[in-house]
Amino acid sequence: HRLPGGGRLVDVGTGTGLLLHLAGEAGFDPQGCEISPGAAAKAHEEFGVDVKVGDFLEAEFPVAPRAITMADVLEHTRDPRVFLEHALASLDPGGALFVAVPNHRSTLFGMADILARLPVVGSLAERLYVPNHYWYFTPATLRRLVEAVGFEVSEVRGDTPYLGRYTFSFPI
């Protein structure tokens, strides 16, 4: 399902601001919602995008978003269901939600689970389990959650994780 450009797009957990920048180029009216003042300032400085600082659960949108994006955000929330319910209540009727989370059933996590059992390299696997990841989703558990909240799932897709974010040093 492809959402044509146009209308308000809210990116939750703006990070660098790149997605907002690209959304603006695609014809959306982009706005970010970022809990970190430093990240919001950097996104505004780097891309000139509008980013509101604060908790998404407290965010109100005078213009209902046509789309809400959450990339690598939901696993950091204390209550993902409440987070998704707020997204559903905030969206324009017929709007779209995009959620991306680490796939706990990916090959990477499968290998990490195996490596975690080995005494020498077990500590390497621990690096995939980030302390502020409160939830670990599989495609099936994420689908069940978003459908239980009231969304209709149009697509579930897995991608190869970007390993550049991890630093590994192997014992000699």
Side-chain angles (χ1 to χ4, degrees):
H1 172 45
R2 185 165 164 79
L3 185 67
R8 172 63 53 104
L9 178 141
V10 172
D11 183 33
V12 181
T14 304
T16 65
L18 178 60
L19 190 145
L20 287 175
H21 171 72
L22 295 173
E25 288 187 344
F28 286 98
D29 174 19
Q31 180 179 356
C33 182
E34 173 61 55
I35 201 161
S36 165
K42 188 167 175 52
H44 180 72
E45 179 183 310
E46 178 86 15
F47 293 106
V49 292
D50 179 25
V51 181
K52 304 294 183 207
V53 177
D55 187 334
F56 174 67
L57 292 177
E58 298 170 8
E60 294 180 12
F61 305 100
V63 175
R66 185 144 181 261
I68 295 177
T69 58
M70 301 176 184
D72 293 321
V73 170
L74 204 57
E75 68 273 16
H76 296 276
T77 66
R78 297 287 184 176
D79 191 338
R81 183 185 189 101
V82 170
F83 217 72
L84 292 171
E85 287 171 347
H86 184 64
L88 183 62
S90 299
L91 272 171
D92 190 40
L97 172 71
F98 170 82
V99 176
V101 294
N103 178 0
H104 195 63
R105 286 291 174 256
S106 69
T107 304
L108 177 64
F109 275 99
M111 291 303 297
D113 287 342
I114 292 168
L115 291 174
R117 296 181 181 101
L118 302 175
V120 177
V121 292
S123 64
L124 295 174
E126 291 175 12
R127 295 183 188 186
L128 292 175
Y129 294 93
V130 181
N132 64 357
H133 280 194
Y134 303 117
W135 301 95
Y136 289 92
F137 295 98
T138 67
T141 60
L142 183 60
R143 175 187 283 274
R144 279 195 302 270
L145 177 61
V146 298
E147 287 178 341
V149 167
F151 285 101
E152 177 185 326
V153 176
S154 64
E155 182 179 356
V156 176
R157 190 176 78 209
D159 286 326
T160 303
Y162 171 63
L163 296 178
R165 71 173 95 177
Y166 301 106
T167 304
F168 294 103
S169 57
F170 293 94
I172 297 177

